[in-house]
Amino acid sequence: MATITCERITKRYGGVVAVDALDLTIRHGEFMVLLGPSGCGKTTTLNMIAGLEEISEGRLLFDDKDVTWQPPHKREVAMVFQSYALYPNKTVRENIAFPLQLRRTPREEITRAVTEVAEQLEIGHLLDRRPSQLSGGQRQRVALGRAIVRKPSVFLMDEPLSNLDATLRLSMRSLIKHLHHRLRATFVYVTHDQAEAMTLADRIAVMKGGLVQQLDTPEGIYARPANTFVAAFLGSPQINLVQGEIAPDGSFARGAFRLALPPGAAQPGRAVTLGLRPEDVGTLAPGLARLEARVDLVSPLGSETHLEVVAGDDVKLTLRVPKEWRAQEGQVIAVGVDPARLHLFDATTDARL
Amino acid sequence: MSGALERRPGPRRRPALGYDERNAAILVFPVVAVLLVVAAYPILYSFWVSLHDIVLTRPLRRPFVGFDNYLRIFDDERFWLAVSRTTVYTVVTVAVTTLLAVLVALLLNEAFPGQRILSALLLVPWATPSVVNGLMWKWIYDPTYGLLNALLVQLGLLERYRAWLGDPDLTLLLIANAAVWKQMPLAALLLIVTMKAIPDDLYRAAKVDGANVFQRFIHVTLPALRPGLMLVLVYETMISIRHFDLFLIMTQGGPGDASFTLSWLIYVETFRSLRFGTGAAMSYVLAMATFLLSWALIRWLGKRI
Amino acid sequence: MAGRPIAPRLGRALLLAVFSALFVLYVAGPVAWLVSSSLQTEAQITAVPPNWLPPELNFGNFDAILNAAERQVTYETRRQGDPATGGFLPSGAANLLPSLWNSLTVGLWVAALNLLLSITAAYAIAVIDFRGRRATLYTVLATRVVPDIALIVPLFLVIRNLGLINTLGALVVTYLAITVPFTIFILISYFEGIPRDLYRAARIDGCGHWRALRHVYLPLSLPALVASLTFAFLTSWNEFVFALVLTQNVAAQTLPIVISGFVMDFTTSFSFVNAAGVIAIIPPVVMAVLFQRYIVSGLTAGAVKG
């Protein structure tokens, strides 16, 4: 029982609108990621779902129950914080047991639940330590343990991996994904890291300025970004965005730079922004548009190579090519681009065409 | 959570008193209640008194006189005398306290064997009751058996024993000395706390730049000490300007009118002459003056130091 | 360290030693003289030049204080012998021991009640975002702006109307008015220093405000709580003016009142007064030194906000 419905939820701080009439339905058992840069309103949204911040306007429903004015301790949600938020005066065992104690769970049951959770998270040997004696990764495991020990139907996670180093982040990421599969609970996960969002989410809500820019599956968002902001926020290296216009022959033009588009993509003469993902280039083949460019910088990464190239007069592009390509700096190369994979955005509204 | 609440959709509108508001009200209520009775009510009542001509020797007639009591204060030459005495006392006390506190803070901020013992010792004057402080210094200043006379004569700095507190030129300074002794530790503690917050990198950078000890004090310590100094100056001023205990215990305003300060004037007016109306009015003038002075100090020092 | 030249280190050590000596002399000197005088007989402390240290330890003054109630003070006993033996006691000497108990009682009540009252209010103001939060805070702090002397008369009337004149309750209530705003200020600073995420975690884990206070804020605020207890006790123990006006007999007089009576009574022997002063100084000084760490950290919390 945990479908979360936000109905035109608004949060104001004085005159500043942090979240603007947000409509969002998070389905039962879904892993929803709120993704966006800092200050986009994603954490505020999470806090409002948790009950930690008052909702200025609108309504929040858990299933059919209006919880807009319910204090957090009555909402039966669990939460994991970026700062771990472990009680420094309690041992690991006491930290995990705390939510159950507050619910007057019988002692034997608490002991059983804590042992079980500790086993799942492989922190059994840490139970008698205090948080200050743990590493960051261990702390976050304890925080996860404290959250799952209650078996709640809603999990809220506020950038839980941001304080960890890169390696740990990867292993914790898969741990969280396993947890979601096992618990079958509704997860709401806030992050600014697009890789985390892509790997974890069933659906992603990309936010900016208190508004949801796009709500879709990771694949959908990556393949069909709703606007230039979303396009640029997901994908690494970043998508190439080139401002220009539609030439009379229907191709994209900026100065001497030309690129063929699918027929009828947009009206000739219209000002547009072209989006080209770095990996959407390949060897020239029939049916592909030809892109000629001079190589400016070669960055071999081992598994692949990134090329910074200049096409036309001033169009700088980043291309992701197989490691076998042996491009030289200064060399002019020609690559093939599938016109169907190009993205076109209106130059004034930045919205997808 | 009641079963009824779970079935029925909750209220759409904000409840009149939400969970937070309701609990905050309960949590704050005891303090507000106590303070209303023992602080707010007396404050307002004493303002009411200040607007009436109340003399305890004439208990039945207590006419409303508006601000007459306040106006009368400014024609009272005792008031202006008290203002000048209070000014001297306050300036001396605050200046010496602050200066000593800076020196003590510099000393105790160093790491050396015994530093912890000295820090503990610093709390002794702070914890000493003002009555004991008064009697202790009165005993030290004693004209026939006091430590001060004995010490100065033995050191050859003084030829004959003197009645220190009996000298009108010295009385205020001697009381100020007793006050400084008790007030300096708190000021020093506040400054030490501020000094501890200065990042070590600043000193390292200054050393690398070739600054010597004194230059480091002027260019690193002093600017960083600014908030602490401001706090000390404002706090000490507020304390000194209203100080009363030592005047009652050590000199009772004397000799003559040598230590006739504002708080002593208020005491005399209220409890010796039993003119409650003017006494209350004087208290309000003193309160306003204290308030304005600290406000001005904060503004002035905020820009200057 | 090892490679540094010796001369500057020696200079620093010398400088520190000189200043430390001056510091000890200034801070501890007067108290040492008080203690020394309290351990001498009246004849010894009136010697010229004075005895810096007691020629022999003489606890006659303390003995006299502790047994004052049992001694009959008559014209004859006053005339005989050395005052420090107890033959020459000031008229109020018998009140000293009861007033010591009064001071202790009031101090402990004030310390306890002050904390009870302040904790909940400070939690609400520091943690809960409620309407009227700022107004409450400023009202609490504003009660300390008016000088105490302005409050004596109206407070006297309030206390009289409550029927509390000459009771310890009058003092407890009055001292609460002085200590509570300060304690609230210290506790607010301390509570605000506790990471907000801990509060959030507690609320999510199932704590209402009372439980968040009990399970998270109180266990983490021990230094501030001890500092507040100490401050309240010391304020109460040392207070003079209010006690002077609100209590007029043995039943409720505190130590400072009885001692100030001695100071202004010219017939009292110096050694006796000094002994009384030493007794009054011991509990607060012991407490301050014992809780030194907490007092400083309590001050830190208050001072950071200025």
Side-chain angles (χ1 to χ4, degrees), chain B residues 20-21 27 38 110 147 242, chain C residues 52 120 131 145 173 209:
Chain B
D20 282 352
E21 244 93 27
L27 289 161
V38 291
E110 293 291 316
L147 179 72
R242 310 154 162 193
Chain C
W52 300 103
T120 58
R131 280 171 288 173
V145 173
V173 167
H209 284 306

Side-chain angles (χ1 to χ4, degrees), chain A residues 16 28 196 222 261 274:
Chain A
V16 183
H28 168 64
E196 258 170 46
Y222 193 76
L261 296 174
L274 174 81

Side-chain angles (χ1 to χ4, degrees), chain C residues 6 45 73 87 89 97 100 112 125 132 157 161 181 217 231 247 257 277 280:
Chain C
I6 275 277
I45 66 167
V73 180
L89 288 180
L97 219 46
L100 185 70
I125 295 172
L157 297 172
N161 291 343
Y217 281 85
F231 286 149
T247 61
I257 305 308

